[in-house]
Amino acid sequence: MADSEASSKILVSHANAHTYVKSVLQANGVSDPHAATVADCLVAADLRGVDTHGVNRIPSYLARIRQGVLDPTAEPTIKDITPVVAQVDAKNAFGFVAAKMAMARAIGMAVAFGIGMVSVKHSNHFGMSAWLVQQALDAGMMSLVFTNSSPALPVWGGKEKLMGVSPIACGAPGVEHDFILDMAPSVAARGKIYKAKRRGEKIPEDWALDKDGNRTDDPAAALEGVMLPMGGPKGSALSIMMDVFSGVLSGSAFAGHVTNPYDPSKPADVGHFLIALKPDLFLSSEEFKERMEYLYNRVINCEKMAGVDRIYFPGEIEQLTEAERRNSGIPYVEAEIEALNAEARRVGAPDLVVS
Ligand SMILES: NC(=O)c1ccc[n+]([C@@H]2O[C@H](COP(=O)([O-])OP(=O)(O)OC[C@H]3O[C@@H](n4cnc5c(N)ncnc54)[C@H](O)[C@@H]3O)[C@@H](O)[C@H]2O)c1
């Protein structure tokens, strides 16, 4: 973080951020374990530097609870389809809760049979995909994590919002460096535009078009327009892929019918798709990890292009950010803290403790 940027931020310990999220959710009718799950995921995003999908999302989730379009008391159900395939009906619970349950079952099936695949329907936004990849890594598993999301992106050649900025994520355990890819198929995640708007910042001109189809650096104008896909037709195709696996396959909304998490007028009906895979199916666990370490070293030690000081493995920048933020705290701006405390006051929960 640049010094000028750091000086305008207020630091909050991850423990205090977690306590805030848990208590404000409990005060809104969420059970203790589900509130803890949501807090784990949102704080994990802030720790990893994925600020777009962290604690600042709380007001949008609470607006959905107040409008009755996200059920804070719902308990997702799970049904086995085959020994290695299961289906979760989220029943309009938090996406975090349903996806965590799905990944736990996928891991259990992978332990027994080498692979587990779970489809999730009638769910909600689950924030940063990497926390599900991490759930699999914590169990020593490789994973694929897909979700669909509300329309934000034109398909290649189109100009209307149709596909979601739906992230594609996967992971594999290493010796010291796990591989974690977690990327939206747009030039930038839409959450980065919401964050710039919240913070009164401009955005790069290649992120989005305004409603008239012009490039813009104004986040408000960009939110009225469309996000640009990364790599033209390829980003557009990846977004359609997320919709096929998460929406079409699951029985959830698809083809532009998922509701925006900031639109509290109706349920979101998001679909997810998760796979856990045992890494020692074809080689011993030691061989697999040695090969991952070899790959890591080949990647980070390759010859650098002009102007590049260091090459990172996917997920490594976020790991370094997490190590730093666990010590120094998570940076928020004052307006964000005010918005969070307004939610706390609304339900008589304690303010976010700044430390
Ligand atoms: N749930 C949803 O509907 C939804 C929608 C959109 C985005 N998201 C989340 O938003 C987050 C941000 O997505 P994004 O596409 O903006 O991420 P990003 O562009 O910051 O990073 C994408 C990937 O590239 C890697 N990376 C980035 N810079 C790198 C570098 N210099 N060297 C090597 N690797 C590098 C990262 O480790 C990451 O795996 C993700 O966590 C995603 O899950 C969620």
Side-chain angles (χ1 to χ4, degrees):
M1 196 190 308
D3 284 351
S4 56
E5 196 191 343
S7 62
S8 64
K9 302 282 161 63
I10 299 160
L11 293 172
V12 174
S13 74
H14 61 90
N16 287 345
H18 195 278
T19 302
Y20 162 83
V21 174
K22 220 181 137 191
S23 53
V24 83
L25 286 172
Q26 286 167 323
N28 278 277
V30 183
S31 69
D32 286 12
H34 291 348
T37 296
V38 179
D40 289 349
C41 300
L42 294 180
V43 174
D46 280 341
L47 278 173
R48 296 180 84 248
V50 184
D51 304 333
T52 49
H53 289 73
V55 173
N56 282 305
R57 289 279 180 147
I58 276 290
S60 65
Y61 296 140
L62 297 184
R64 302 188 70 73
I65 291 177
R66 281 195 292 273
Q67 281 292 113
V69 295
L70 187 158
D71 184 351
T73 63
E75 293 293 339
T77 55
I78 192 158
K79 182 169 85 174
D80 289 329
I81 307 291
T82 79
V84 293
V85 178
Q87 182 180 35
V88 168
D89 182 345
K91 298 192 175 296
N92 199 24
F94 273 103
F96 307 95
V97 170
K100 181 181 177 181
M101 173 194 247
M103 181 53 90
R105 179 60 66 92
I107 291 167
M109 293 188 294
V111 168
F113 300 107
I115 190 167
M117 192 185 98
V118 183
S119 168
V120 184
K121 64 179 176 180
H122 308 325
S123 188
N124 280 284
H125 190 254
F126 68 34
M128 172 187 76
S129 303
W131 70 269
L132 288 152
V133 174
Q134 189 62 51
Q135 187 183 346
L137 287 170
D138 291 344
M141 295 288 170
M142 300 169 77
S143 62
L144 290 181
V145 176
F146 299 170
T147 185
N148 66 358
S149 57
S150 58
L153 204 73
V155 294
W156 187 240
K159 75 169 199 181
E160 61 164 322
K161 288 181 189 177
L162 181 57
M163 287 295 124
V165 181
S166 307
I168 174 166
C170 58
V175 178
E176 283 181 41
H177 305 96
D178 295 330
F179 167 78
I180 302 183
L181 170 65
D182 178 12
M183 51 164 249
S186 52
V187 178
R190 190 165 48 165
K192 287 185 181 160
I193 300 188
Y194 284 115
K195 177 174 140 187
K197 184 168 172 249
R198 248 184 357 251
R199 297 186 171 187
E201 296 165 353
K202 294 207 174 302
I203 56 168
E205 286 200 354
D206 63 346
W207 281 13
L209 304 178
D210 66 18
K211 63 177 172 18
D212 302 318
N214 300 311
R215 291 184 183 276
T216 180
D217 63 4
D218 174 2
L223 289 169
E224 285 176 16
V226 291
M227 305 290 301
L228 288 171
M230 64 169 203
K234 299 184 224 181
S236 157
L238 280 177
S239 182
I240 297 171
M241 175 187 167
M242 294 302 100
D243 212 27
V244 170
F245 282 81
S246 308
V248 176
L249 179 71
S250 66
S252 253
F254 67 103
H257 298 297
V258 172
T259 308
N260 185 312
Y262 290 94
D263 167 8
S265 68
K266 56 182 189 298
D269 201 14
V270 178
H272 318 304
F273 175 84
L274 304 97
I275 288 185
L277 182 74
K278 234 170 148 247
D280 56 351
L281 287 173
F282 311 110
L283 303 165
S284 72
S285 180
E286 291 66 37
E287 271 178 293
F288 177 86
K289 287 198 169 179
E290 273 167 27
R291 289 164 72 86
M292 284 298 295
E293 196 61 10
Y294 179 73
L295 174 64
Y296 172 80
N297 281 307
R298 290 278 292 164
V299 169
I300 63 141
N301 293 315
C302 75
E303 280 186 45
K304 298 169 190 65
M305 64 186 264
V308 170
D309 295 330
R310 178 173 173 180
I311 290 178
Y312 296 93
F313 206 49
E316 190 171 15
I317 292 176
E318 290 83 355
Q319 282 166 0
L320 293 169
T321 303
E322 175 165 353
E324 184 197 316
R325 290 188 174 186
R326 277 191 181 278
N327 278 328
S328 61
I330 299 166
Y332 299 104
V333 301
E334 202 171 330
E336 291 169 338
I337 292 184
E338 277 168 17
L340 295 174
N341 287 340
E343 291 295 348
R345 281 192 291 274
R346 194 189 260 265
V347 288
D351 277 1
L352 175 63
V353 176
V354 170
S355 57

